Amino acid sequence: MSNLVVVGTQWGDEGKGKIIDILAEKADIIARFQGGANAGHTVVVGEKEFIFHLIPSGILRPGKQCVIGNGVVIDLKALIEEMDYLKDKGVKSEGNLFISENAHLTMPYHKILDQIMDKRRGRGRLGTTGRGIGTTYSDKSARAGIRMIDLLNKETFQQKLEINLEEKNYLLEKFYDRQRISKEGILEEYLSYGEKIRGCITNTSRLLNQAIDEGKNVLFEGAQGTLLDIDFGTYPYVTASNPTAGAVCTGLGIGPTKIDRVMGVAKAYTTRVGEGPFPTQFSPEFEEEMRLRGKEYGATTGRPRRCGWFDAIVVRHAVRVNGLSSLAITKLDVLDNLEKIKICIGYKHQGKILEDFPALLPVVQQCEPVYEEMEGWKEDISSVKDYEHLPQKAKRYLERISELLNTEISLISVGPKREQTIILKKLMSH
Ligand code: GDP
Ligand code: IMO
Ligand code: MG
């Protein structure tokens, strides 16, 4: 038995989708535990590209069970669109997809309010994905949310919707000077969604614990990344959930004793989409060049991603808060043409060198990264199949990262495709 958590170690988009797809081959169940349709996980199979927002990336492996846990916030419209999108591409999700009855629903007003609220922040905007994530989690914490199970009972759903709309419409009309939202439209639309996915809604905590007791392999698919964590990220420039490993337990109803290993996914450089501090961000010209090389455009919003050097302070923070047992390094091929490659090994602040990620934002903003420079390998590595055949200088770069983080590297990705993967250590038994 081996249950493995996969989390992002930077600001999201590390290539978690690809890694999950690789590992899912040996898993029985793949489960999402937090986040919502703000995620955009890309998997390339042959000539086909798939982008997942809510459905676990493991759905591409026939016969695997996929779970959307109670910790995920679900935009049903987006979910059904994703099921149809997969169906069009020849992938069946009905019968293999299980949704927690306790998961909270992202309603149309959550998306509208998320967008309006972020716009209203002006210069202080977070640059959210506009998918209603923060507003759904706010209602969950305020004990006002509507859950999946509520949808299956018309009276309960209607009652909760009315209570919510009363407040949201007041806010929309009186505070934001926007149009009201009518109850009738939502009621009809959502009840029909409920009918469509009734068969998927279940007690997923029981399903998972039973599978674990039977010795099945479970893969936990994190969304976003550690620096977007509401507690451990660059608050307030973060998402509204905990994308870190601890959330697996609360987001799925699994005890910590059931988790064997935690793998962190890190890009061989760093990217960030949305606002907030980013100490190792490249200069604009070089950033544009690297963005093109790495095709760094958001999978959910299409926004250009900000790009920078690998930041060992950021990933070391992720090693600690997630208790990482190993790392997967992705997009190493994107660095192929570089003469010199830099790694950030410390932050200089008021004459002192900081080795831990600072909690205070102004400190992060004032920091000057301290770099170590390494020689680039200047070779195409995108078809390298095993570690031995990587150029010496690429190995040195990886070894230095592993040394700085005091964590082993168990997987290296050298391209978006399945076959562009170097597996150094078997991670799941079977
Ligand atoms: P996620 O959100 O962590 O799943 O990552 P995204 O899917 O948002 O972004 C990663 C992007 O990089 C996707 O377009 C992947 O197809 C692509 N990708 C993943 N691994 C590699 C790699 O090793 N090399 C290259 N060049 N692209 C990769
Ligand atoms: P995956 O799973 C990258 C960012 C947004 C914004 C901040 C808050 O593909 O790695 P939100 O809509 O969550 O309230 O936005 O978080 N963000 C992501 N950035 N990858 C993601 O997911 C992200 N999900 C949210 O850009 O800065
Ligand atoms: Mg993404």
Side-chain angles (χ1 to χ4, degrees):
M1 177 204 77
S2 72
N3 298 315
L4 175 69
V5 180
V6 174
V7 290
T9 61
Q10 296 156 323
W11 279 281
D13 302 327
E14 297 89 350
K16 299 175 293 292
K18 169 180 168 167
I19 303 302
I20 290 287
D21 172 64
I22 297 288
L23 298 172
E25 194 186 358
K26 299 276 166 60
D28 299 294
I29 306 185
I30 303 91
R32 277 273 309 265
F33 55 92
Q34 48 68 234
N38 49 348
H41 296 179
T42 316
V43 180
V44 179
V45 184
E47 298 310 310
K48 278 192 189 167
E49 185 185 77
F50 298 85
I51 299 179
F52 298 98
H53 301 291
L54 281 161
I55 298 178
S57 308
I59 200 82
L60 292 181
R61 302 281 184 180
K64 309 287 176 181
Q65 292 188 320
C66 287
V67 169
I68 302 179
N70 56 280
V72 177
V73 290
I74 304 177
D75 173 352
L76 271 179
K77 188 167 187 281
L79 178 69
I80 287 166
E81 275 169 15
E82 197 166 323
M83 289 168 87
D84 291 343
Y85 156 89
L86 285 175
K87 202 170 168 188
D88 284 348
K89 291 195 165 211
V91 180
K92 183 176 149 283
S93 45
E94 282 106 351
N96 296 326
L97 184 65
F98 302 88
I99 305 169
S100 168
E101 55 202 7
N102 292 345
H104 281 247
L105 292 176
T106 292
M107 303 297 291
Y109 48 79
H110 287 128
K111 286 188 275 186
I112 296 171
L113 285 167
D114 178 19
Q115 289 160 20
I116 300 177
M117 285 162 79
D118 208 35
K119 206 165 164 200
R120 219 183 108 82
R121 288 183 187 111
R123 278 165 56 85
R125 73 182 189 280
L126 310 179
T128 73
T129 59
R131 297 297 190 268
I133 304 302
T135 40
T136 311
Y137 279 114
S138 295
D139 277 354
K140 176 178 176 176
S141 296
R143 276 62 56 88
I146 306 181
R147 302 197 294 178
M148 215 38 129
I149 192 81
D150 300 326
L151 195 61
L152 302 185
N153 181 301
K154 189 179 171 187
E155 282 70 47
T156 311
F157 182 69
Q158 184 164 349
Q159 199 182 26
K160 293 198 172 187
L161 182 63
E162 276 165 10
I163 295 169
N164 273 284
L165 277 179
E166 199 183 338
E167 187 203 356
K168 307 301 180 201
N169 274 332
Y170 183 85
L171 266 177
L172 281 170
E173 265 188 331
K174 303 275 190 286
F175 190 71
Y176 293 113
D177 199 18
R178 298 291 173 116
Q179 274 196 333
R180 291 174 66 82
I181 298 174
S182 100
K183 185 188 84 181
E184 283 65 33
I186 298 186
L187 192 63
E188 204 178 310
E189 183 183 349
Y190 276 71
L191 289 174
S192 85
Y193 292 154
E195 282 318 307
K196 262 194 180 159
I197 55 148
R198 183 176 278 271
C200 303
I201 303 173
T202 186
N203 180 338
T204 49
S205 163
R206 206 173 68 180
L207 182 148
L208 282 164
N209 279 284
Q210 234 163 30
I212 292 170
D213 289 344
E214 287 165 15
K216 293 199 171 141
N217 285 337
V218 186
L219 192 53
F220 303 104
E221 176 173 353
Q224 288 81 51
T226 303
L227 275 289
L228 287 173
D229 187 283
I230 192 158
D231 288 288
F232 297 107
T234 43
Y235 191 91
Y237 298 97
V238 292
T239 190
S241 70
N242 290 112
T244 40
V248 168
C249 298
T250 53
L252 286 164
I254 301 274
T257 48
K258 309 285 161 107
I259 295 170
D260 299 300
R261 269 172 292 190
V262 185
M263 181 198 246
V265 185
K267 246 179 223 183
Y269 49 103
T270 313
T271 62
R272 168 161 210 174
V273 59
E275 305 304 319
F278 182 2
T280 65
Q281 188 168 1
F282 296 137
S283 61
E285 231 169 85
F286 187 50
E287 181 177 56
E288 184 58 28
E289 192 183 318
M290 292 303 286
R291 183 181 295 134
L292 287 173
R293 241 182 248 174
K295 299 198 176 80
E296 296 295 356
Y297 294 90
T300 297
T301 57
R303 290 179 292 177
R305 293 174 183 152
R306 298 154 71 192
C307 306
W309 295 114
F310 186 87
D311 188 336
I313 305 304
V314 160
V315 185
R316 192 182 291 139
H317 176 72
V319 168
R320 177 162 46 79
V321 300
N322 293 292
L324 296 187
S325 29
S326 76
L327 281 166
I329 303 290
T330 61
K331 304 193 94 161
L332 190 62
D333 55 298
V334 177
L335 305 180
D336 275 358
N337 299 322
L338 300 181
E339 211 56 72
K340 300 274 183 202
I341 302 174
K342 290 185 187 177
I343 302 179
C344 171
I345 54 163
Y347 292 159
K348 199 168 173 184
H349 183 255
Q350 294 178 347
K352 279 197 195 134
I353 304 289
L354 312 178
E355 288 183 353
D356 277 320
F357 196 86
L360 207 59
L361 269 205
V363 177
V364 184
Q365 275 148 346
Q366 289 155 15
C367 276
E368 196 190 316
V370 180
Y371 291 113
E372 193 173 279
E373 201 170 72
M374 304 192 72
E375 278 188 53
W377 45 93
K378 304 209 72 185
E379 248 180 79
D380 178 359
I381 60 165
S382 62
S383 49
V384 173
K385 297 267 182 287
D386 46 57
Y387 191 74
E388 287 64 45
H389 291 103
L390 278 175
Q392 206 55 43
K393 286 173 183 160
K395 285 189 206 164
R396 211 169 295 150
Y397 182 64
L398 292 167
E399 278 157 22
R400 185 63 184 135
I401 287 177
S402 174
E403 189 180 81
L404 284 166
L405 303 173
N406 197 19
T407 308
E408 67 171 356
I409 296 173
S410 51
L411 193 154
I412 301 155
S413 173
V414 293
K417 295 188 172 176
R418 281 178 174 168
E419 53 279 18
Q420 293 174 302
T421 314
I422 303 172
I423 297 177
L424 300 176
K425 203 177 159 200
K426 215 171 128 196
L427 289 157
M428 300 202 101
S429 55
H430 238 10

